[in-house]
Amino acid sequence: MVTEGVVDVDGAEHKVENNTWILGDDEEVIVIDPARDAEKILEKVGEREVLAVVCTHGLPDHVGAAIEVAARDEAVVALHPKDRPLWRLTWPDTWPDIDMEDEGVFGVADVELEVLSTPGVSQGGVSLYCEALEAVFTGKSLQADGPGRIGGEYPALADQLTAIGGRLFTLRHGTRVLPAHGEETTIGALESQFDAWLSGSLTRGDVIEKTEGPLSDGTRAAKINLKLLDE
């Protein structure tokens, strides 16, 4: 599901596509990174109860629908405290309900999500690892084309690579990488590029930039239904 969205970075507008992940079963869900269209996200959720809205970052294109999605079922909103200043850019009159910390745990539908601190794009960036599903929701920290950026820049690349190497690339190679932007991939598919990133390929221009072209703007809402594991 795709909806239109534009992000302003230092006065320049960028069309973006955000993935919103819905994790749960037929009764309850956790919504990860509700970007900007609460109505369509809640339509995807349906009658299931939203237990929590978890934001991997405080950037506007990750939290734009957080309050509205959480409000329907009086769910809690979780964010790392270091990203509170970013949160206030979108929601100046509210605060998240839960301050996430490294190695914190969220439970839904008999599985757990472990919080992994993965700063870099933002100081409070996190990833959410579900061992039972062999999947990690990496937000903007790691994407199919490499470490995430803001407006084509790496705000703190050294910190980001440290987090990727120390937290994400310790996971099994088959672990699905489910990012906030773009297509999914696996840890194994990306780890082979890590040495090149450490050697400076990301800043030397060795990585081929995506050409300008039509983008699907806005929010892709996807879901993982735990019933599929038994089918």
Side-chain angles (χ1 to χ4, degrees):
M1 179 170 64
V2 178
T3 60
E4 293 185 356
V6 176
V7 173
D8 185 293
V9 180
D10 296 331
E13 290 188 343
H14 299 264
K15 292 182 179 181
V16 296
E17 179 181 281
N18 295 76
N19 299 331
T20 293
W21 300 98
I22 300 171
L23 175 66
D25 58 15
D26 289 340
E27 302 295 329
E28 60 188 24
V29 300
I30 284 177
V31 178
I32 300 171
D33 290 339
R36 54 177 63 80
D37 195 320
E39 182 178 353
K40 291 191 176 183
I41 293 171
L42 288 172
E43 181 180 345
K44 195 76 170 180
V45 170
E47 298 300 317
R48 296 173 292 174
E49 180 183 2
V50 178
L51 300 182
V53 171
V54 183
C55 304
T56 61
H57 293 73
L59 294 164
D61 60 324
H62 295 257
V63 304
I67 295 297
E68 294 171 89
V69 171
R72 192 194 72 173
D73 296 325
E74 298 182 352
V76 295
V77 178
L79 180 77
H80 194 284
K82 289 185 178 180
D83 268 16
R84 280 186 160 217
L86 290 175
W87 168 271
R88 284 291 214 170
L89 297 177
T90 304
W91 301 105
D93 299 321
T94 67
W95 291 114
D97 302 291
I98 295 176
D99 287 337
M100 282 191 290
E101 297 290 349
D102 190 40
E103 298 183 355
V105 174
F106 293 91
V108 62
D110 297 324
V111 301
E112 293 184 340
L113 287 170
E114 180 184 357
V115 178
L116 306 179
S117 180
T118 52
V121 173
S122 69
Q123 293 184 9
V126 305
S127 298
L128 303 165
Y129 175 52
C130 184
E131 183 178 8
L133 296 178
E134 289 194 80
V136 59
F137 301 87
T138 54
K140 210 172 177 71
S141 300
L142 183 63
Q143 301 169 181
D145 59 354
R149 297 172 291 179
I150 299 179
E153 302 292 333
Y154 301 101
L157 183 56
D159 292 340
Q160 192 172 356
L161 291 177
T162 296
I164 290 171
R167 306 308 302 276
L168 299 179
F169 285 167
T170 61
L171 303 177
R172 294 180 180 177
H173 279 193
T175 302
R176 296 169 65 192
V177 173
L178 306 177
H181 300 285
E183 302 301 321
E184 73 169 82
T185 184
T186 65
I187 291 295
L190 291 172
E191 188 176 11
S192 62
Q193 304 174 50
F194 190 56
D195 286 345
W197 299 343
L198 291 176
S199 299
S201 67
L202 297 170
T203 53
R204 287 198 308 266
D206 295 3
V207 176
I208 299 174
E209 296 289 339
K210 291 183 178 179
T211 58
E212 291 296 328
L215 295 176
S216 298
D217 302 338
T219 304
R220 175 191 296 134
K223 68 177 181 179
I224 297 178
N225 193 318
L226 300 188
K227 286 187 66 179
L228 298 178
L229 297 178
D230 299 323
E231 297 177 356

